[in-house]
Amino acid sequence: MQKLSNTSAWPVYERDSIRCLETQLQGSSSTPLMQQAGLATAQLALAMAPHAQRIWVAAGPGNNGGDGLEAALHLHRWGKSVHVSLMVPAANLPPPAHAAWLRAQKAGVRITSDFPTEWLAEMVPQDLCIDALLGIGATRPLSAGMQTWVKAINQCKAKVLAIDAPTGLAPDSGQLLGGPKDAALCVQADQTLTFIAAKPGLFMGHGRDASGQLWLESLRHTSTGTGITIPPQAWLNRPQASLPKRHASHKGSHGDVAVIGGMAMAASEMGMTGAAVLAASAALHAGAGRVILSLLSGQATQSASPDVMQREWQHLDLEKLHVVCGCGGGQAVQSVMPAVLRRSAQLVLDADGLNALAQDDRLKAGLRQRASAQPSVITPHPLEAARLLHSSTTQVQNDRLKAAQNLADRFQCTVVLKGSGTVITAPGQTPRINTTGNGRLAVGGTGDVLAGLIGARMAQGISAFEAACIAVAQHGQLADDWPEAHALTASRLAERLT
């Protein structure tokens, strides 16, 4: 059993691949996988709550319930007071789970079909509740009966251990099975033990909040040495590249970044130059050799650092620059986009640059034509991704890996699909899911900082894909390390980059 941390590059598998792995692993083992999973669950349960006086197992109608029954069997044998509430009659369980029920019943485990109401009311934080209701098998909104069980788990004062995935969470996407309004109907686990391999939904959307500390019991599955060759659908983001170390260098050795954006207040009733200034500040503090700010307002600003040069974009030698375009650009960026797409040596396209792209097929063609000769990165949030894909935000969020890969293939560029569990991918690359960052980044301007940071990393000689991976991980880690007593703002975030 291993703790899943954000410092390791773990392979990630979606449900269909997990099912294939289950079949292959079961065929090569003399011990049923359910018995192995139950033992691992019991071991983690004992480690979580060594002094528990009461352990309640909420067992569902499928094999996840069977895992819970197997765990209850071991905990009972180890002298713990265990009560299993089984949602369905034992006769309705699938064969492996029914076999687990027979084993538990024979061992004397207390199994009933209802809640031990008085017993639950007496549970305290040192006790334990095990969520063995659905695991990764659920695809539909929770039934009324299942909702009642989930509420009981969440209202319980004891610690909560979820088996495979918290009930109510879609394991492939991290979205809630009942929709955003039903946040209370997802089990909120203190720890989750997942089997065989990591699932994407545990790291995206609501998964990171609902799962607590993640543990993996591989049941002997490894990416090498088993004869199993099913490729992962993603990897957790552990950047492979590092910043080049140059001793004999000058300012030109670290690359030139030009930030083009920032529409004037008169044009929009709302000044947006700050977004471009933030991107330029990020590129500067991240170590770009020279940073040029080109405001589409046509006027210089006093809010930019004196270390940032300011110049009209028409006077820039775009063919030699790493360009960050779109931050605060408003409608004015549309007229700039054709030249930026055609001439920029490398390009990061963000915010209003993406909005302009979504509205103009010629701009889309221009981005595709850049391909590998002129590396590009686009950084959409889910709504911007939906516009580019002619879909809905819900569709994007329900399959973030697919949405990101579709964008990468359609526009032949690196894609950073932002959000909880940012996805980074590119044509021919296995997507990466980022595990750093938190809700503090949900403030205005942090996306502009990320765009500037990606531009700086590209300027420092790192490939577009790896630059995006490094920047996203660093951006999130800064938020994770942020002092609790201090508010995170985009300008402070940019100043902390190195």
Side-chain angles (χ1 to χ4, degrees):
M1 190 186 307
Q2 304 169 78
K3 181 184 288 188
L4 287 175
S5 68
N6 59 11
T7 59
S8 299
W10 295 97
V12 179
Y13 288 83
E14 292 180 331
R15 177 172 32 219
D16 290 347
S17 292
I18 290 291
R19 296 304 190 208
C20 292
L21 290 171
E22 281 180 350
T23 301
Q24 295 185 20
L25 287 168
Q26 189 61 72
S28 63
S29 173
S30 58
T31 303
L33 292 184
M34 186 172 290
Q35 292 183 24
Q36 297 176 49
L39 176 58
T41 301
Q43 290 170 336
L44 181 55
L46 202 61
M48 276 183 69
H51 305 297
Q53 298 298 310
R54 298 172 180 82
I55 298 176
W56 177 45
V57 180
N63 286 331
N64 196 247
D67 294 337
L69 286 162
E70 288 286 352
L73 166 64
H74 290 287
L75 291 166
H76 174 76
R77 286 175 173 171
W78 297 339
K80 290 297 181 180
S81 178
V82 184
H83 190 126
V84 177
S85 294
L86 185 60
M87 278 198 74
V88 298
N92 295 347
L93 291 170
H98 189 268
W101 173 79
L102 287 172
R103 284 162 47 81
Q105 186 184 55
K106 184 177 180 180
V109 176
R110 181 167 38 173
I111 306 172
T112 65
S113 59
D114 55 4
F115 299 135
T117 306
E118 293 183 6
W119 206 63
L120 291 179
E122 296 174 356
M123 293 183 80
V124 296
Q126 73 178 17
D127 294 330
L128 183 68
C129 170
I130 298 179
D131 167 23
L133 291 174
L134 289 179
I136 66 171
T139 58
R140 299 189 300 270
L142 302 182
S143 66
M146 188 68 72
Q147 291 178 28
T148 300
W149 286 63
V150 169
K151 289 177 182 177
I153 293 173
N154 287 341
Q155 290 167 2
C156 183
K157 295 178 182 178
K159 299 182 183 72
V160 177
L161 169 60
I163 298 181
D164 226 3
T167 297
L169 184 77
D172 284 353
S173 68
Q175 298 304 295
L176 299 173
L177 292 173
K181 66 179 180 179
D182 294 325
L185 301 183
C186 178
V187 166
Q188 302 298 307
D190 295 290
Q191 302 196 40
T192 296
L193 174 60
T194 197
F195 300 122
I196 300 179
K199 287 80 176 176
L202 300 177
F203 304 94
M204 295 192 294
H206 297 275
R208 295 177 67 189
D209 293 326
S211 302
Q213 174 59 57
L214 291 169
W215 295 83
L216 170 66
E217 171 52 59
S218 67
L219 305 181
R220 301 186 321 283
H221 166 65
T222 59
S223 57
T224 59
T226 62
I228 295 173
T229 58
I230 298 173
Q233 280 70 64
W235 291 84
L236 298 189
N237 181 33
R238 185 184 181 190
Q240 302 301 307
S242 58
L243 298 180
K245 295 181 180 179
R246 301 186 180 97
H247 297 284
S249 63
H250 51 82
K251 60 186 178 183
S253 304
H254 302 280
D256 298 338
V257 175
V259 177
I260 301 175
M263 188 168 64
M265 183 178 296
S268 67
E269 299 180 358
M270 180 177 176
M272 298 197 296
T273 58
V277 171
L278 285 169
S281 177
L284 179 70
H285 286 94
R290 289 176 290 202
V291 179
I292 306 165
L293 176 61
S294 296
L295 293 175
L296 297 178
S297 64
Q299 300 176 344
T301 178
Q302 298 297 316
S303 61
S305 166
D307 300 302
V308 172
M309 295 177 281
Q310 297 190 53
R311 206 172 287 172
E312 292 185 359
W313 77 270
Q314 296 91 337
H315 299 154
L316 299 179
D317 192 357
L318 296 177
E319 288 81 1
K320 298 180 180 179
L321 293 171
H322 305 82
V323 177
V324 177
C325 181
C327 302
Q331 296 295 319
V333 78
Q334 291 179 334
S335 62
V336 177
M337 287 279 290
V340 167
L341 289 168
R342 185 176 66 255
R343 296 172 50 202
S344 300
Q346 298 198 56
L347 175 63
V348 179
L349 205 55
D350 185 48
D352 290 316
L354 298 174
N355 293 331
L357 190 72
Q359 298 169 17
D360 192 325
D361 289 340
R362 291 173 299 178
L363 297 180
K364 294 175 184 175
L367 178 58
R368 284 192 291 269
Q369 289 167 7
R370 293 177 57 83
S372 58
Q374 297 169 287
S376 307
V377 179
I378 63 174
T379 58
H381 55 56
L383 178 57
E384 291 164 344
R387 290 170 180 158
L388 290 167
L389 291 169
H390 303 290
S391 63
S392 68
T393 303
T394 299
Q395 289 173 307
V396 169
Q397 293 291 73
N398 282 343
D399 199 339
R400 288 172 56 80
L401 292 176
K402 181 179 179 181
Q405 198 63 56
N406 284 347
L407 285 170
D409 294 340
R410 181 172 299 186
F411 296 112
Q412 291 297 294
C413 66
T414 295
V415 174
V416 175
L417 178 56
K418 295 183 288 193
S420 176
T422 292
V423 177
I424 310 105
T425 192
Q429 294 283 355
T430 301
R432 294 190 194 171
I433 301 172
N434 194 61
T435 56
T436 61
N438 56 61
R440 288 188 165 198
L441 291 173
V443 297
T446 58
D448 304 307
V449 172
L450 177 60
L453 176 56
I454 295 172
R457 296 296 176 244
M458 293 170 71
Q460 290 159 340
I462 301 172
S463 71
F465 178 68
E466 285 296 337
C469 291
I470 289 172
V472 170
Q474 182 183 6
H475 186 256
Q477 191 62 53
L478 284 172
D480 288 339
D481 296 339
W482 204 264
E484 285 291 334
H486 298 159
L488 187 153
T489 65
S491 59
R492 290 176 180 173
L493 186 69
E495 291 167 358
R496 293 199 179 202
L497 293 170
T498 56

